[in-house]
Every structure is written in structure tokens, then in C-alpha cells.
Amino acid sequence: MTSPRMLEGYRVLDLSQFIAGPVCTSLLAEMGADVIKLEIAPSGDRTRTFGLKPGAPEHRGSTHSSSYFQHNHTKRSIALDMKTTAARELALGMAAKVDVVVENFAPGVMARLGLSYEDIQRVNPTVIMCSISLAGQTGPLSDRPGYDYIGQAYAGVTDLIGEPDRAPAMANFAGGDVSTGVAAAMGIGFALLHRERTGEGQYLDASLVDTYFHMLEYHAPMIAMRGEGFQPTRQGSVNADSPTMGIYPCGDGYVLLCALPHQWQPLAKALGMAGLEDDARFATISARRKYKSELEGVLRGWFASFDTRDAAIAALEAERVPVAPVLSVSEAMRHPHLNARNTVRWIDDPQLGRVAIPGVPVKFSSWPDRTELRSARLGEDNEAVLSELAGLSADDIADLYRSGVLVRDPTLAPQVA
């Protein structure tokens, strides 16, 4: 491609760590923005110690890791000791020369660093700043620390997960973190468009609680209309109202069946049982709800009759009944569909070796997902960034290293004698 990527020419100062903020800025980087990740010395983003690290002896002590790579590739890294006045002044100076600032510290921390929206707006009136937190910058919960599971619990989502007769369960992935990062990137894109039209910057406030509550597709209006006495129940592996939506053991694995009420006739035909399509117990939605235990028994027996889940799936798909194998993550990573679309991207990293990461969740016709990716080691771009954004000379930068304001990955070649 010879034309600029969608966000090429925009510069982002990324003061985030862990998952939500880095997901946001990694999407901006994928779209072509120059993302400068400002990491807090001495150790940088905490995900540098998560996941797998390079195993070769020459990489021992490296700040590279699989988790950091996934969420921070295509960014430059500068590492400053933000406890020092000099580092805070440098950060504010850099913020004056960027289009977007993203941070996910606890509310109040940026103000204490002299990097609040008001502080940055004074030196950069058209800046777009996005803060990502557990519960937002305002409201009774705004000062609470927390991570994905905490946001999930406050939004009422955790109570919906698990078996109906057991305690709620936690989803074993950071869905709220990732979705909040995607929502924040969306908001920044909208804000950049608004600035192009009006010349105005603005402040964006994204939170995990807000994102998780937004995921409730029908529960809020239902409760509001029926009254607080009505509470949705945990479904477990089979829908409480309709066993035609559920997970069933089948031969060598599990199958997820998702036949909506209007698909009863094709489902009954696929099951191939004489008289089932005309069985009065299952002829209507209300009848199937009344005799749900009997219908669930029919379905369990049918699935149990197959030696493989693929054979059951083939019988259902022949009648266009929505169904899927319940894949493990490793099975999903090997699935030809996910690989054909670069949903799973395989990257050859010089230190980590062959590694898989998710692709961009939206496919662009003009810009396919990148597969030639790398992530910077801690402070790898100190010199370039401080020269470009702060106008510092080599001697100035050397002084910052000597004073401990500036740090870098110990496996990189030393910059100061």
C-alpha cells in the first residue's frame, strides 16, 4: 500500500499499562498512529513480567514478554522515573506535541503528576485525552482501585455467570479490559473526527463498569419494566427457558446448540425422530417451556448417540440449525477459519520465537492486518523520542541516564559510559 494508513500523521502519548489502555493504543498504532509509550521506571509496564519471556541466555534480564508483545507491539518506548521533577516536566513537554494522550492510572494520579487534562490542555489546547479506569472519573466509586473482575461484579455481569444452584463464576479472560480498550479507541477516533471538523479537542472518560454494563443486551429494560423483584437467573450450561440453547456432551467433546424459537421445525427435522415435529409438548414456545425437562432429555439422548461431535454438527447444519463445537483456545488457534482471516496472527519474534496474537477485530479492505510486528524493549526509543519531542541533545540525554531519570532495558547496548 502506498497511501497513508488511516491514522498516519497522528501522534499518541501512551501512559497506560496492563490491558485496557494498551489495547486502546495498540489499535491506534495498528491504524498508523505514532504511539509513544511512556513507561514508569525502573520496571515499566507490569505486563513486561507476565506471560512467557525469552529463554536464550543472552536475553536473560530482558524486559520483553509475550503479554507485553501482544498489547504493545508497534509502539515506541521511553522510560522515565516519574518521581522526579525533571521526568514530569519532560512528560508535559511531550504531551504538548501530541494529538492524543491515553492514561489508565487511578483517578487523581495524573493531577498529582502535573499531567491532568487541564494541565495538558494549557500547553496543548486541541489535545484529545482519554482516561481509562475501573469506574470512571466521577461518581461514588471513582476512587476505587480495581481490575477487570471488579468491574464485572459492579456491573451485575458476574451474577449472570455460572450454574443456577451454585455461586457466581468468574469468566476466565479479561473481556471487560479488552472491550473497554476497543471502546476507548472508538471514542478517540470519533473525537479526532470531531476535531477535524471543529478544531476542538476534548476529554474522554472510559471505564470498565460502564463497558460491562453496556454488554447487558436486554436485562436492564426488562428489570426496569418488571420491577426489582424480577432477577435474571444464572443459566449454567443450558438456557433456563429453552433447552434448545445449551451445551451438550457429544462423543469426543461438547457442542453448543443455539436454536431460537422460530427454528424449532428445522431442529426437530434434524433430530430425525418420528413424530417429534408434531409432538404437542413441543409445538409452541410456551409448551416447550412447560416441558423443558422432557425436551432437554430428548436433546441429551440425541447428542449422546454420536461418537463424534462433528457428526452431530453435520446433521444439524444440514438443516441450517445454528451449532458449534466448544473449542479449546488451542483448538481455536488451529481452526482454518480463524487463520484464514488473520483472526489468529502468527508472528516470528527474534526473542520470543513463533508467537500467536489476536488480529484487529474489524477488517479493513485497504489495510490488512500486519504480521511483521515487533515490540520495543523498555526505554529502547529514549534517544529518538527525546530528540524529536523535547529537542534534547546527546549530552542532555546522557545526563538524564546518569541522574537516573531515564532508564532502559539492561540487555540493550549501554548509552552512557
Side-chain angles (χ1 to χ4, degrees):
M1 298 292 180
T2 56
S3 59
R5 295 184 72 89
M6 281 80 77
L7 294 182
E8 196 165 320
Y10 291 98
R11 182 171 278 162
V12 179
L13 182 62
D14 177 9
L15 291 99
S16 68
Q17 60 178 336
F18 289 111
I19 300 175
V23 166
C24 168
T25 52
S26 72
L27 287 171
L28 302 179
E30 292 255 23
M31 297 303 107
D34 176 19
V35 178
I36 298 166
K37 187 175 177 72
L38 196 166
E39 302 188 61
I40 309 301
S43 56
D45 189 320
R46 294 182 187 275
T47 62
R48 287 188 178 276
T49 63
F50 293 177
L52 298 178
K53 294 178 72 66
E58 62 268 25
H59 296 313
R60 287 175 187 163
S62 170
T63 56
H64 201 40
S65 76
S66 58
S67 182
Y68 183 87
F69 178 88
Q70 175 172 335
H71 300 302
N72 293 283
H73 61 78
T74 321
K75 305 175 187 178
R76 296 195 282 174
S77 172
I78 176 172
L80 296 171
D81 181 357
M82 295 300 289
K83 294 179 182 178
T84 65
T85 301
R88 293 194 292 271
E89 290 176 349
L90 283 171
L92 184 61
M94 288 188 287
K97 297 180 179 180
V98 301
D99 299 283
V100 177
V101 175
V102 178
E103 63 90 14
N104 66 348
F105 290 104
V109 171
M110 291 292 283
R112 292 196 293 275
L113 293 174
L115 293 169
S116 68
Y117 175 59
E118 292 74 20
D119 294 325
I120 296 173
Q121 192 183 39
R122 277 193 287 271
V123 297
N124 188 349
T126 62
V127 72
I128 293 162
M129 182 169 178
C130 179
S131 293
I132 301 173
S133 63
L134 169 70
Q137 305 297 307
T138 60
L141 297 178
S142 60
D143 63 345
R144 303 287 178 91
Y147 303 102
D148 188 287
Y149 291 147
I150 306 299
Q152 182 187 111
Y154 268 118
V157 172
T158 307
D159 189 57
L160 298 174
I161 304 173
E163 296 295 331
D165 58 346
R166 300 182 64 182
M170 297 190 300
N172 192 22
F173 68 103
D177 271 330
V178 173
S179 295
T180 303
V182 173
M186 175 194 73
I188 289 168
F190 292 166
L192 286 170
L193 177 60
H194 176 77
R195 193 179 73 176
E196 290 295 318
R197 291 173 168 174
T198 67
E200 298 173 354
Q202 61 182 301
Y203 181 66
L204 310 181
D205 177 2
S207 87
L208 273 71
V209 173
D210 292 350
T211 300
Y212 261 124
F213 196 81
H214 189 258
M215 294 179 184
L216 299 173
E217 75 274 29
Y218 63 85
H219 300 85
M222 183 181 293
I223 292 171
M225 295 175 69
R226 293 188 179 183
E228 294 184 4
F230 170 78
Q231 291 296 328
T233 58
R234 289 185 286 282
Q235 303 289 338
S237 58
V238 177
N239 185 280
D241 289 328
S242 176
T244 63
M245 292 184 285
I247 299 171
Y248 292 95
C250 182
D252 54 356
Y254 290 89
V255 170
L256 192 148
L257 173 67
C258 194
L260 296 181
H262 70 276
Q263 294 167 318
W264 166 249
Q265 290 299 323
L267 172 60
K269 185 177 180 181
L271 296 179
M273 298 179 184
L276 186 62
E277 292 181 64
D278 301 318
D279 193 318
R281 297 174 301 170
F282 313 133
T284 65
I285 296 173
S286 58
R288 290 194 292 275
R289 186 177 294 116
K290 180 179 179 180
Y291 294 101
K292 61 184 178 182
S293 296
E294 289 85 345
L295 181 53
E296 184 177 339
V298 168
L299 290 167
R300 287 191 181 279
W302 185 82
F303 279 111
S305 69
F306 289 89
D307 292 329
T308 67
R309 67 186 181 190
D310 288 346
I313 289 170
L316 291 164
E317 287 184 337
E319 300 299 332
R320 302 289 294 168
V321 176
V323 63
V326 178
L327 300 180
S328 67
V329 177
S330 59
E331 287 175 319
M333 289 171 61
R334 296 193 302 271
H335 197 284
H337 178 82
L338 275 68
N339 282 271
R341 287 177 54 82
N342 269 343
T343 304
V344 181
R345 280 188 290 183
W346 293 92
I347 312 297
D348 291 308
D349 182 77
Q351 295 185 61
L352 297 172
R354 187 88 165 144
V355 62
I357 63 170
V360 176
V362 176
K363 307 304 179 186
F364 294 87
S365 62
S366 295
W367 292 103
D369 287 358
R370 295 173 171 177
T371 54
E372 297 296 325
L373 303 173
R374 66 176 302 276
S375 64
R377 283 179 277 177
L378 182 67
E380 184 173 338
D381 304 293
N382 287 341
E383 288 73 27
V385 170
L386 291 176
S387 174
E388 291 173 28
L389 270 70
L392 299 188
S393 67
D395 289 341
D396 294 331
I397 294 170
D399 287 340
L400 292 174
Y401 277 118
R402 277 189 284 266
S403 65
V405 172
L406 198 60
V407 300
R408 69 202 321 263
D409 185 305
T411 66
L412 293 168
Q415 297 296 303
V416 180

